[in-house]
Amino acid sequence: MIGDDRRIINRRKETGLAPITCCCCLCITLVLLTFLLLVATAVFYLWFDPKLPTFSLASFRLDGFKLTPDPDGASLSATAVARVEMRNPNTKLVFYYGNTAVEMSVGSGNDETGMGETTVSGFRQGPKNSTSVKVETSVKNQLLDMGLAKRLSAKFQSKDLVMNVVARTKVGLGVGGIKIGMLAVNLRCGGVSLNKLDTDSPKCILNTLKWVNLQ
């Protein structure tokens, strides 16, 4: 009986040690994986020296800008044409862009007026490459109240009209022919008047998750 009791106690000890051993093995494995991930990340940064792409608004113009009196105010017809300069500063990394939804507007604050939207097809941007993307939207007989129409017309004539370009896309990274993920980002360009754009190419603001500014 005593021998049987000892065997039962030993089995209980062995049974109790098994979960502890598994837990220790799991912890050690997680520590090793974390260490290897940190080493791989450090090697990646040292070898590739990754940099974010840069964006700037190269040009913006309004073609056929016309305000026509209407019984309810005025109707606006115009074509907005913008050119965004995109640069990949990396020597070994490739950027992949998904289809991009673009909205353009003029004016600021309560006077901001939509100029239509469009979609730009996705593309690949190689290392040390600069790409100029042309975007064109238009509105036809868009109804405005007379007060807003007069303010937009006056600012357009004086080239003091503020323009805005907003884009939503996904950006992926390419390393050695391997495509790594696609991150949703928002791009906002402009916020400056047409006359300032004649002498400057303002940089665009790049962010993700609606609040994390990358640039």
Side-chain angles (χ1 to χ4, degrees), residues 111-124:
D111 286 350
E112 186 171 358
T113 303
M115 296 299 297
E117 57 186 52
T118 188
T119 300
V120 178
S121 299
F123 63 94
R124 173 187 181 277

Side-chain angles (χ1 to χ4, degrees), residues 34-213:
T34 302
F35 175 75
L36 291 174
L37 180 61
L38 291 174
V39 171
T41 302
V43 171
F44 177 85
Y45 270 85
L46 289 173
W47 180 257
F48 292 103
D49 188 23
K51 298 179 179 66
L52 290 171
T54 59
F55 306 86
S56 61
L57 185 60
S59 65
F60 188 100
R61 72 175 191 268
L62 290 173
D63 294 338
F65 187 87
K66 183 180 180 182
L67 285 164
T68 305
D70 187 276
D72 296 319
S75 59
L76 169 65
S77 296
T79 298
V81 183
R83 192 173 293 277
V84 178
E85 195 76 20
M86 311 167 70
R87 181 174 176 270
N88 178 3
N90 297 284
T91 58
K92 301 174 183 177
L93 300 178
V94 172
F95 286 116
Y96 292 93
Y97 294 91
N99 291 341
T100 303
V102 183
E103 298 177 6
M104 293 201 280
S105 63
V106 295
S108 58
N110 294 331
D111 286 350
E112 186 171 358
T113 303
M115 296 299 297
E117 57 186 52
T118 188
T119 300
V120 178
S121 299
F123 63 94
R124 173 187 181 277
Q125 187 178 34
K128 302 298 289 184
N129 175 268
S130 292
T131 303
S132 183
V133 178
K134 181 182 178 182
V135 183
E136 184 174 317
T137 63
S138 62
V139 291
K140 186 175 182 180
N141 297 326
Q142 177 171 289
L143 187 62
L144 307 176
D145 68 69
M146 187 57 71
L148 174 58
K150 289 180 178 179
R151 291 192 296 274
L152 291 179
S153 179
K155 290 187 176 182
F156 175 72
Q157 296 296 330
S158 64
K159 300 191 73 173
D160 197 34
L161 188 62
V162 171
M163 49 24 185
N164 309 284
V165 180
V166 177
R168 296 183 301 277
T169 188
K170 291 184 178 181
V171 182
L173 193 64
V175 181
I178 301 174
K179 191 175 179 180
I180 304 175
M182 293 292 280
L183 176 67
V185 297
N186 299 314
L187 189 69
R188 179 175 289 274
C189 307
V192 297
S193 61
L194 291 170
N195 54 17
K196 289 184 179 179
L197 192 58
D198 288 340
T199 57
D200 191 19
S201 296
K203 287 188 175 182
C204 304
I205 298 173
L206 181 68
N207 62 43
T208 186
L209 301 177
K210 296 184 179 181
W211 56 273
V212 180
N213 285 342

